Amino acid sequence: MINLISDTITKPSPEMLDFMMKAEVGDDVFGEDPTINALQEKAAELFGKEAALFCPSGTMTNQIAIKTHTQPLDEMICDHYSHVYQYETGGFAFNSGISVSLIQGQNGKISAEQVKGAIKDDFDWLPRTKLVVLENTCNKGGGSYYTLDEIAPIQKLCKEQNLSLHLDGARLFNALVETGESTKEVGSHFDSISICLSKGLGAPVGSLLLGEKDFIKQAKRFRKVMGGGMRQAGYLAAAGLYALDNNIDRLKVDNDRAKKIGIHLGQQDYVERVLPVKSNIVIFDLKKGLMASPVLALLKEEGIIASAFGPSTIRFVFHLDIDEKMVAVLSEKLKTIGKSIFKELASN
Ligand SMILES: *Cc1c(COP(=O)(O)O)cnc(C)c1O
């Protein structure tokens, strides 16, 4: 099977598993798991932050960040495609009691000007603007990414307006292998950063929240109340350490494969439009009249699994369990499947 559903489906390699099995562990609720402590210190150091917090998921690191940055009746600003708005079960309202001001950005990316326009005046009948959340890369935006040049004006505005700035960096490293920017530079642009170890980096579980000492101290309380205080989770943190040491640079391979397949898809007569491919995600619209579900069924018969991202939209995500041979097969099948797709359409 060529599984392009998500980069979350990767399984630990034998080398990663071996490294996990050898981890030294302890009770992390007491702060006594040496492997978790090592991972947190390594990540904090990498981004030039004072501290980090290991959590079970990226949803939790984002939710904790929102909770730590805001009070009930506050408001956050983000793009309408954002994971924190679309895919976290409305947790910003449930966990933090805040509202949201949505911006229609460019493929998931928002500008300082747009943020400025969304900041609310200080009236007691309005929610208080407190937080801006950026997503990099932006999943629903087709894997688009910000450069630090684009982020700097947003950071400046947030400072002037006394707003916190959080980065949902679930796939941040997929952006950094493109821009060549350093993690420390990224760290200096945000108050808090969330990164996922279980996406393209290939760990089975785990995300990290990064910030300054006081912020992470408070975040740890929220992790506990959300039920995210784990015990001998050093086995999982070991996978994260292995991922940071071994799996960052190779993300460029995933990005390049996605770009190649994006170009290839653009040449197929059943494809209307491919969103600009910037990293490891390819989102494409089918020609008018074609629906995603029968096309996905045809792909599945050919051993290719992907997901619908709208009624006539399909998403492919490239990751470390896809190899060069699979890319060649995929490329060929995407060409030959055209005939079956139009036959399907004619018979319906
Ligand atoms: C995957 C993802 C997350 C976190 O997802 P979890 O499945 O909860 O780990 C957060 N933001 C973005 C943009 C993501 O793609």
Side-chain angles (χ1 to χ4, degrees), residues 6-8 56-62 81-84 87-88 135-140 168-171 194 196-199 206-207 281 315:
S6 175
D7 43 9
T8 55
S57 72
T59 298
M60 190 183 275
T61 49
N62 280 336
Y81 278 169
S82 300
H83 196 278
V84 289
Y87 304 120
E88 298 185 6
E135 187 173 311
N136 202 21
T137 66
C138 176
N139 171 28
K140 213 172 153 64
D168 177 356
R171 295 190 179 86
S194 160
C196 282
L197 302 163
S198 61
K199 295 246 160 93
S207 288
I281 297 175
R315 185 185 78 162

Side-chain angles (χ1 to χ4, degrees), residues 34 58 107 130 200 221 262 280 283:
N107 292 336
K130 188 67 209 354
R221 293 184 70 85
N280 67 325
I283 294 180

Side-chain angles (χ1 to χ4, degrees), residues 57-313:
S57 72
T59 298
M60 190 183 275
T61 49
N62 280 336
Q63 288 302 312
I64 291 173
I66 293 168
K67 180 81 187 147
T68 310
H69 284 302
T70 64
Q71 294 296 322
L73 306 184
D74 285 349
E75 183 166 83
M76 70 171 178
I77 295 172
C78 64
D79 183 85
H80 69 307
Y81 278 169
S82 300
H83 196 278
V84 289
Y85 171 66
Q86 295 270 354
Y87 304 120
E88 298 185 6
T89 333
F92 61 92
F94 184 77
N95 292 317
S96 300
I98 65 164
S99 56
V100 63
S101 180
L102 296 175
I103 291 179
Q104 310 262 342
Q106 186 83 32
N107 292 336
K109 289 167 58 185
I110 61 180
S111 68
E113 225 165 61
Q114 287 179 309
V115 173
K116 195 165 184 191
I119 296 171
K120 294 209 160 49
D121 288 331
D122 184 16
F123 292 120
D124 60 9
W125 55 86
L126 296 176
R128 187 177 61 139
T129 307
K130 188 67 209 354
L131 171 66
V132 176
V133 179
L134 303 185
E135 187 173 311
N136 202 21
T137 66
C138 176
N139 171 28
K140 213 172 153 64
S144 61
Y145 59 80
Y146 291 89
T147 60
L148 289 170
D149 282 350
E150 295 168 317
I151 293 169
I154 300 177
Q155 181 195 24
K156 183 164 171 275
L157 176 68
C158 287
K159 277 214 172 111
E160 287 163 7
Q161 301 284 332
N162 207 19
L163 309 178
S164 300
L165 184 57
H166 172 70
L167 173 63
D168 177 356
R171 295 190 179 86
L172 176 63
F173 291 106
N174 287 88
L176 297 186
V177 295
E178 292 296 320
T179 63
E181 292 160 347
S182 76
T183 44
K184 284 219 168 58
E185 286 175 286
V186 176
S188 71
H189 283 71
F190 292 93
D191 297 302
S192 59
I193 297 173
S194 160
I195 59 168
C196 282
L197 302 163
S198 61
K199 295 246 160 93
L201 292 180
V205 175
S207 288
L208 286 157
L209 180 62
L210 311 160
E212 301 309 334
K213 235 189 216 129
D214 289 348
F215 175 86
I216 293 297
K217 189 171 176 213
Q218 184 59 27
K220 201 169 169 212
R221 293 184 70 85
F222 290 133
R223 183 184 70 173
K224 185 64 184 159
V225 79
M226 287 178 183
M230 298 183 285
R231 304 294 176 173
Q232 287 76 31
Y235 294 113
L236 300 174
L241 280 171
Y242 183 91
L244 291 177
D245 279 338
N246 295 283
N247 291 345
I248 293 179
D249 293 343
R250 65 153 305 287
L251 291 171
K252 185 80 177 91
V253 174
D254 298 338
N255 291 357
D256 289 344
R257 286 174 177 159
K259 288 176 194 172
K260 194 173 134 191
I261 291 296
I263 292 169
H264 186 58
L265 275 167
Q267 294 160 351
Q268 306 307 316
D269 50 10
Y270 54 90
V271 174
E272 178 66 36
R273 178 182 82 120
V274 186
L275 279 190
V277 183
K278 301 289 187 183
S279 56
N280 67 325
I281 297 175
V282 183
I283 294 180
F284 60 98
D285 296 329
L286 299 164
K287 275 268 155 67
K288 207 168 177 298
L290 290 174
M291 300 304 282
S293 54
V295 173
L296 286 169
L298 284 171
L299 284 170
K300 199 167 180 186
E301 279 171 30
E302 301 291 340
I304 297 157
I305 314 179
S307 53
F309 235 54
S312 298
T313 306

